[in-house]
């Protein structure tokens, strides 16, 4: 995304996108929300990357290759021209540090960027009721690695924790380098630790419905979940839409985006051969197999990754997740 040169004499302002709905973006500047739209030039430039370079009208050459359905994401830093009181026209999107996207399950292969410039992707999982879906977490963690976004694993409902297997998995995630926090909104366990971790950070919460995300948000800050929920209802719960999204300030410092109904984080453009790189514990073994970089760590002999699994240096459960993701991508 390149910066365009502003030749206008109007005042250019810079702010952060906090809110988006139906092609309108709420851009925060000095605590004030400006209702912005996107300049048609920027929209064309970003939405139709396959337009013929010689075409003056940006005619779309191949609709199936359009991948960005919305050029602006929550968390983007944008420049805009003031077009009146509290309204503006976005002209530039500053380069993103990182971004998280979902793949639109529709007929056209599209990518929707959900949020950008993220400090933590917070994976919220219940210790019980519902039981953890580790394979889903593995998939999300791999997506976050690919996107170069730090992950934080938050286990909720720790007051219900009876299953030693949950503790064991959590220990394994810690061993391979992930931060894991056990919380309970019921007892207040480690809510303060989570607050300290999130302070002054921009974080995106992901988690299945029922894991206790709303309760946790409220434990972090009273009534926060209510404000977040109003947004998810406006966006049509269950439709997995990201057309309405909003970011909220933590009153202790920091910002949060909830992702209602977000089921599939994209493994967009991840090649089968690349998956191993996004399983952090496999990285030290890559390139050390008999077939070197060509090894798929599946059926080949003398595979350093498989040896590590046999030696319990890599968890067998995580290895199976790796194989499943790789097969899905290659299918
Ligand atoms: P969400 O769908 O992820 O937002 O989940 P909710 O926050 O609505 O919580 C789902 C259910 O789990 C509710 O019945 C909550 O009361 C319950 N719950 C949430 N947090 C805790 C907790 O820390 N301990 C216990 N025992 N129950 C919890």
């Amino acid at each position: 995304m390149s910066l365009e040169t502003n030749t206008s004499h109007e005042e250019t302002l810079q702010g952060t996108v906090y809110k988006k709905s139906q092609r309108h973006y709420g851009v925060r500047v000095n605590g004030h929300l400006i209702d912005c739209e996107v300049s048609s030039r920027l929209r064309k430039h970003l939405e139709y990357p396959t337009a013929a370079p010689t075409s003056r009208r940006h005619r779309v050459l191949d609709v199936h290759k359009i991948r960005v359905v919305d050029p602006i994401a929550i968390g983007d830093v944008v420049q805009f021209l003031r077009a009146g009181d509290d309204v503006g026209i976005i002209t530039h999107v500053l380069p993103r540090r990182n971004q998280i996207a979902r793949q639109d399950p529709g007929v056209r292969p599209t990518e929707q960027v959900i949020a950008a410039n993220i400090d933590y992707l917070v994976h919220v999982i219940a210790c019980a009721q519902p039981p953890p879906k580790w394979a889903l977490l593995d998939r999300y963690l791999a997506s976050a690695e690919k996107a170069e976004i730090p992950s934080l694993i938050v286990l909720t409902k720790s007051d219900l924790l009876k299953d030693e297997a949950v503790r064991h998995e959590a220990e394994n995630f810690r061993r391979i380098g992930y931060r894991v926090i056990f919380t309970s909104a019921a007892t207040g366990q480690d809510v303060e630790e989570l607050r300290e971790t999130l302070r002054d950070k921009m974080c995106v919460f992901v988690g299945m419905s029922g894991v206790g995300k709303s309760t946790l948000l409220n434990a972090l800050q009273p009534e926060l979940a209510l404000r977040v929920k109003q947004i998810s209802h406006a966006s049509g719960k269950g439709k997995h839409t990201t057309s309405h999204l909003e970011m909220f300030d933590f009153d202790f410092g920091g910002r949060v985006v909830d992702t209602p109904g977000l089921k599939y984080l994209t493994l967009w453009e991840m090649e089968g051969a690349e998956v191993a790189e996004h399983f952090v514990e496999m990285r030290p073994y890559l390139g050390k197999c008999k077939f070197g970089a060509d090894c798929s760590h599946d059926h080949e002999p003398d595979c350093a990754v498989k040896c590590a699994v046999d030696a319990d240096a890599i968890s067998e459960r995580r290895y199976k997740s790796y194989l499943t993701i790789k097969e899905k991508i290659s299918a």
Side-chain angles (χ1 to χ4, degrees):
M1 230 171 279
S2 63
L3 283 178
E4 294 166 22
T5 316
N6 175 25
T7 51
S8 150
H9 296 296
E10 291 168 81
E11 185 190 14
T12 301
L13 296 169
Q14 187 166 305
T16 304
V17 178
Y18 264 71
K19 192 173 177 176
K20 107 178 177 180
S21 66
Q22 308 286 20
R23 301 205 162 199
H24 280 260
Y25 306 89
V27 179
R28 183 89 76 83
V29 188
N30 300 330
H32 201 68
L33 207 63
I34 312 284
D35 180 16
C36 289
E37 290 188 61
V38 178
S39 72
S40 54
R41 187 172 164 210
L42 180 63
R43 188 171 287 286
K44 275 179 192 147
H45 175 64
L46 293 171
E47 269 200 15
Y48 303 115
T50 55
T54 50
S55 159
R56 264 193 261 148
R57 286 225 245 120
H58 286 272
R59 189 170 57 84
V60 177
L61 282 184
D62 183 354
V63 157
H64 294 283
K65 285 193 183 144
I66 294 176
R67 295 198 305 237
V68 178
V69 292
D70 190 332
I72 314 253
I74 299 284
D76 265 331
V77 178
V78 297
Q79 290 183 341
F80 63 95
L81 296 173
R82 206 184 258 285
D85 280 348
D86 297 338
V87 289
I89 306 286
I90 297 173
T91 53
H92 309 104
V93 182
L94 269 61
R96 290 174 181 155
R97 203 154 35 92
N98 57 34
Q99 63 180 44
I100 195 94
R102 78 188 262 278
Q103 204 166 326
D104 197 318
V107 184
R108 283 191 321 178
T110 54
E111 181 186 49
Q112 286 194 331
V113 179
I114 298 154
N117 302 321
I118 304 155
D119 292 313
Y120 273 129
L121 191 62
V122 183
H123 307 266
V124 186
I125 295 152
C127 289
Q129 299 177 21
K133 292 200 168 173
W134 301 119
L136 189 67
L137 174 62
D138 293 336
R139 193 188 152 98
Y140 272 40
L141 290 172
S143 299
E145 292 297 333
K146 158 103 186 165
E148 298 185 11
I149 301 172
S151 282
L152 179 66
I153 301 171
V154 175
L155 281 146
T156 58
K157 311 192 192 185
S158 63
D159 54 295
L160 301 178
L161 177 57
K162 291 196 182 73
D163 188 353
E164 274 309 307
V166 174
R167 253 187 252 280
H168 178 78
E169 283 299 338
E171 269 320 305
N172 187 50
F173 281 115
R174 280 184 179 139
R175 192 170 58 88
I176 63 177
Y178 288 107
R179 176 100 185 262
V180 183
I181 302 181
F182 279 90
T183 63
S184 166
T187 66
Q189 185 193 334
D190 285 345
V191 172
E192 187 52 35
E193 184 187 342
L194 181 60
R195 212 178 272 131
E196 284 309 314
T197 308
L198 301 182
R199 190 186 299 279
D200 297 333
K201 300 280 190 284
M202 187 304 204
C203 53
V204 175
F205 274 51
V206 289
M208 313 225 318
S209 147
V211 295
K213 213 154 37 119
S214 312
T215 311
L216 184 64
L217 285 172
N218 279 340
L220 285 168
Q221 179 174 321
E223 296 187 10
L224 183 57
L226 182 69
R227 294 172 63 202
V228 171
K229 269 223 164 102
Q230 278 164 351
I231 296 302
S232 54
H233 279 292
S235 68
K237 212 172 177 199
K239 285 188 186 163
H240 315 312
T241 173
T242 50
S243 56
H244 291 65
L245 265 186
E246 189 163 348
M247 178 159 70
F248 295 92
D249 281 337
F250 285 129
D251 54 16
F252 51 86
R255 297 170 287 164
V256 60
V257 183
D258 189 20
T259 53
L262 178 67
K263 268 207 166 159
Y264 303 104
L265 280 188
T266 182
L267 295 169
W268 195 257
E269 286 186 343
M270 201 189 286
E271 305 276 329
E274 194 193 329
V275 179
E277 287 167 33
H278 304 311
F279 274 69
V280 290
E281 68 273 52
M282 291 190 187
R283 286 177 186 161
Y285 304 97
L286 302 181
K288 295 187 179 155
C289 308
K290 183 179 176 188
F291 293 111
D294 291 334
C295 186
S296 70
H297 321 297
D298 184 349
H299 54 275
E300 296 89 344
D302 294 334
C303 164
V305 169
K306 282 199 289 175
C307 286
V309 176
D310 291 342
D312 275 343
I314 291 177
S315 127
E316 185 154 8
R317 193 201 59 67
R318 286 264 300 167
Y319 173 65
K320 283 185 179 153
S321 270
Y322 157 74
L323 291 178
T324 309
I325 292 174
K326 191 173 64 68
E327 274 160 28
K328 258 191 193 143
I329 289 174
S330 314

